[in-house]
Amino acid sequence: MKYIVLILCIMFLMISKRCNNKGRKIFIIMSAAILLIFSTFRGSILGGIYKGNDYDSYQNWFFTIENVKISLTNDVLFNLLMLCAYKLTGCFEVFVFITSLISIYGIYKFAIDNSKNYTLLIYYFITFGMYELGLSAIRQFLAISIFLMSFKFIHEKKFLKYLIGIIIASMFHSSAAILIFIYPFIRNPRAQRPRQQIRPSKKAPSFESAFFDKFLIKISLRTVPAWCLQPLQYR
């Protein structure tokens, strides 16, 4: 089932690159919608074999949320979101839908805004274990998605907006607070490496080394935002 989801998502993304702006948006939305539907109903699809390790724990948490003490030091936004979903609907799938929508939107927006080859970047996300991890680690994945949506503020040199984004992310999962240090790391010129410096190694007699140098580095550079690989000029 998950392979069908993968094929459909990537197929729609590939089609989107051949369309005009309106068609592009439609096929990107269709691709994201497939992941969203699968994520929302993963607890019942094929007996729940893809629901994630912590799905049942979150479900129990949802139906006992009224007994949870909500405080600023205890993932306050996540608990408030869960409490609102419980009070308004009493349906755990609605809560899963909302969290999945935020998470998938953050991933897709980051990929499309920062990479010409967004299809490949989203393919990495689905196949390299990140998506499956997100099915279990709901809070962590929400925090990561909000961080990715705030990532553009690093490039725009808007520290205050980036800080607000990280604060919001940390209110879904407190560990996101450490991401505040990403800003000075990326803005530091010494942390930058010009794109020209990443070259295939001259000492690459083996097939594995040649593959890494000529293929993996090449496709990785196409998916990483170009401004992250170039020295930044300060005014």
Side-chain angles (χ1 to χ4, degrees):
M1 180 67 182
K2 64 180 180 180
Y3 298 109
I4 297 175
V5 172
L6 169 62
I7 292 171
L8 290 175
C9 287
I10 300 304
M11 181 183 70
F12 286 138
L13 287 173
M14 293 176 69
I15 295 174
S16 73
K17 300 189 73 173
R18 299 178 178 271
C19 299
N20 56 26
N21 288 336
K22 184 176 180 180
R24 177 172 171 266
K25 291 179 181 179
I26 291 174
F27 280 103
I28 289 174
I29 291 173
M30 290 174 65
S31 172
I34 292 172
L35 275 186
L36 180 59
I37 293 171
F38 180 79
S39 300
T40 301
F41 298 104
R42 64 182 184 267
S44 55
I45 294 175
L46 297 178
I49 60 175
Y50 299 118
K51 63 184 179 182
N53 296 330
D54 294 337
Y55 183 89
D56 291 334
S57 297
Y58 279 107
Q59 191 172 38
N60 293 333
W61 186 351
F62 179 81
F63 289 110
T64 59
I65 186 62
E66 290 183 308
N67 301 323
V68 175
K69 183 179 179 180
I70 298 178
S71 66
L72 290 175
T73 59
N74 188 26
D75 302 335
V76 58
L77 284 183
F78 183 82
N79 282 308
L80 285 175
L81 178 61
M82 183 177 281
L83 180 62
C84 289
Y86 177 78
K87 288 286 189 180
L88 294 174
T89 68
C91 179
F92 181 62
E93 282 73 19
V94 172
F95 173 73
V96 174
F97 170 82
I98 296 171
T99 56
S100 299
L101 178 63
I102 297 172
S103 299
I104 293 172
Y105 175 80
I107 295 294
Y108 269 65
K109 181 171 177 58
F110 175 80
I112 293 168
D113 290 348
N114 291 279
S115 176
K116 294 181 179 180
N117 199 348
Y118 56 83
T119 300
L120 185 60
L121 197 58
I122 293 172
Y123 175 80
Y124 286 162
F125 160 66
I126 298 174
T127 59
F128 280 28
M130 285 296 296
Y131 175 67
E132 290 191 28
L133 177 62
L135 297 180
S136 295
I138 297 177
R139 288 178 299 157
Q140 293 90 328
F141 213 59
L142 280 169
I144 290 173
S145 295
I146 294 171
F147 159 69
L148 292 177
M149 285 187 275
S150 305
F151 195 77
K152 65 178 182 179
F153 298 128
I154 300 177
H155 177 47
E156 297 172 358
K157 301 182 182 180
K158 297 178 179 178
F159 175 73
L160 182 59
K161 290 185 177 182
Y162 178 75
L163 177 62
I164 292 172
I166 297 304
I167 291 174
I168 293 173
S170 65
M171 288 183 178
F172 282 97
H173 197 280
S174 57
S175 64
I178 198 173
L179 295 173
I180 192 65
F181 297 107
I182 296 293
Y183 188 94
F185 176 77
I186 293 182
R187 299 307 307 178
N188 182 2
R190 295 182 180 180
Q192 306 299 319
R193 293 292 182 271
R195 186 184 293 257
Q196 302 93 294
Q197 292 182 4
I198 304 179
R199 298 175 179 174
S201 172
K202 294 181 179 179
K203 299 179 180 179
S206 66
F207 170 79
E208 292 80 1
S209 298
F211 176 79
F212 178 81
D213 287 332
K214 296 181 180 180
F215 180 70
L216 290 183
I217 289 180
K218 183 177 180 180
I219 61 176
S220 296
L221 289 175
R222 290 180 179 176
T223 59
V224 174
W227 59 268
C228 286
L229 299 172
Q230 298 174 350
L232 296 170
Q233 301 296 328
Y234 289 83
R235 296 181 181 180

